[in-house]
Amino acid sequence: GFVPVLLAAYADANIEAQGRYLAVLMCKNVIDRQWQPRSGTSIGASEKTAVKDQLLRLVKAATEGGLPHLVELTLVLRRVCRFDFPMHWEALTRFLVEELQAQRQRGFSESALAVVLVLHQVLKEQSTKRLMSSRREFHHVGKELIEAVGAVWALKMEHLKQLQHQGSMVDDRFWRLSRHLDGSFLLLLVHGVPHVHEHPTGPQMIQMVKDQVETLLVLLQTHSQQFIQ
């Protein structure tokens, strides 16, 4: 039961900030050593389920600004994803879809950057798996996520085009959101969609990427001095 204790310590606002930070860092290391059986020592199935449920609650709270150290928490998430995602953690896929759909409805709220950061980390972890079975699992993830990610990505594109039309500068927060969202969308296109040209919306998605590149080039040329500064 050490992992739940560490996660509870991380979430406890009464514990000093340094202690909460160390708890989430240690949690990653414990999962790395004990999630899979090694020398007869491993986390049990019921505890794994409890930890995954607890992680989803904490990620939800962190993306809404209620918990610190989101980046470190996503590293814990990635370690569990390494072993269990997606086939043994479908709740994470549903969580990501629901959060993306909510962002589409709200527009780019304060939590948007955090949600997209979590998404990007999950997909990056999946992309590092080299087994053929893992590649097929990525196709399963892509099927579940591509529509939701594409809709938010298209919304981001419209916002960039509006800024281009207005001659306005993009703020740092939106640039970071754009980077993580671009990375997520491209990972899905490359790894999550088999035969993208044969996908019903494949040509449209490829054209969206080309349009994005053109828009970014125009913005960079228009605001080159600001970027240099």
Side-chain angles (χ1 to χ4, degrees):
F2 194 33
V3 173
V5 171
L6 289 171
L7 290 175
Y10 156 71
D12 190 345
N14 295 317
I15 295 178
E16 292 184 3
Q18 184 68 12
R20 299 173 74 181
Y21 179 70
L22 291 175
V24 73
L25 290 182
M26 187 178 295
C27 188
K28 169 185 170 294
N29 295 332
V30 172
I31 288 173
D32 201 31
R33 292 194 302 267
Q34 297 187 6
W35 199 266
Q36 295 290 80
R38 292 182 183 178
S39 302
T41 302
S42 66
I43 299 172
S46 60
E47 185 179 341
K48 287 180 180 179
T49 300
V51 166
K52 287 185 283 190
D53 291 343
Q54 189 177 12
L55 268 174
L56 286 183
R57 292 193 297 270
L58 294 178
V59 168
K60 174 71 172 176
T63 56
E64 293 175 347
L67 289 172
H69 312 307
L70 175 62
V71 172
E72 289 72 22
L73 184 61
T74 62
L75 295 180
V76 177
L77 190 74
R78 283 187 66 158
R79 296 320 298 158
V80 178
C81 286
R82 186 73 188 173
F83 304 117
D84 278 24
F85 185 77
M87 305 314 292
H88 299 292
W89 201 4
E90 293 183 359
L92 176 56
T93 304
R94 292 195 298 270
F95 169 81
L96 291 172
V97 170
E98 291 169 0
E99 289 299 312
L100 289 166
Q101 290 173 342
Q103 292 302 325
R104 184 184 178 188
Q105 295 296 322
R106 294 194 295 259
F108 293 116
S109 64
E110 289 297 320
S111 63
L113 174 58
V115 170
V116 173
L117 170 64
V118 172
L119 169 71
H120 195 196
Q121 292 292 336
V122 170
L123 294 179
K124 282 199 297 184
E125 186 61 43
Q126 188 65 26
S127 71
T128 65
K129 301 177 185 179
R130 297 306 178 198
L131 293 177
M132 187 59 66
S133 59
S134 297
R135 295 182 181 182
R136 289 194 295 267
E137 289 172 354
F138 210 147
H139 296 163
H140 173 77
V141 173
K143 182 179 179 181
E144 298 293 323
L145 286 174
I146 191 65
E147 182 178 346
V149 175
V152 176
W153 197 80
L155 184 65
K156 186 264 299 188
M157 277 293 300
E158 287 301 316
H159 185 70
L160 280 177
K161 289 179 179 178
Q162 289 177 8
L163 293 173
Q164 177 188 348
H165 179 73
Q166 296 167 359
S168 303
M169 181 65 178
V170 182
D171 62 46
D172 179 65
R173 176 179 166 277
F174 193 82
W175 271 128
R176 287 185 288 139
L177 184 148
S178 179
R179 179 170 62 86
H180 289 299
L181 193 53
D182 290 349
S184 299
F185 191 52
L186 290 175
L187 282 172
L188 284 174
L189 288 183
V190 173
H191 300 287
V193 181
H195 312 298
V196 65
H197 288 281
E198 299 175 8
H199 190 276
T201 59
Q204 179 184 355
M205 290 188 289
I206 293 172
Q207 186 60 49
M208 287 168 63
V209 173
K210 292 179 179 178
D211 291 344
Q212 154 97 347
V213 173
E214 292 178 4
T215 300
L216 288 175
L217 286 175
V218 171
L219 284 171
L220 289 170
Q221 291 170 353
T222 304
H223 301 284
S224 58
Q225 290 302 316
Q226 289 93 324
F227 283 110
I228 293 172
Q229 296 171 359

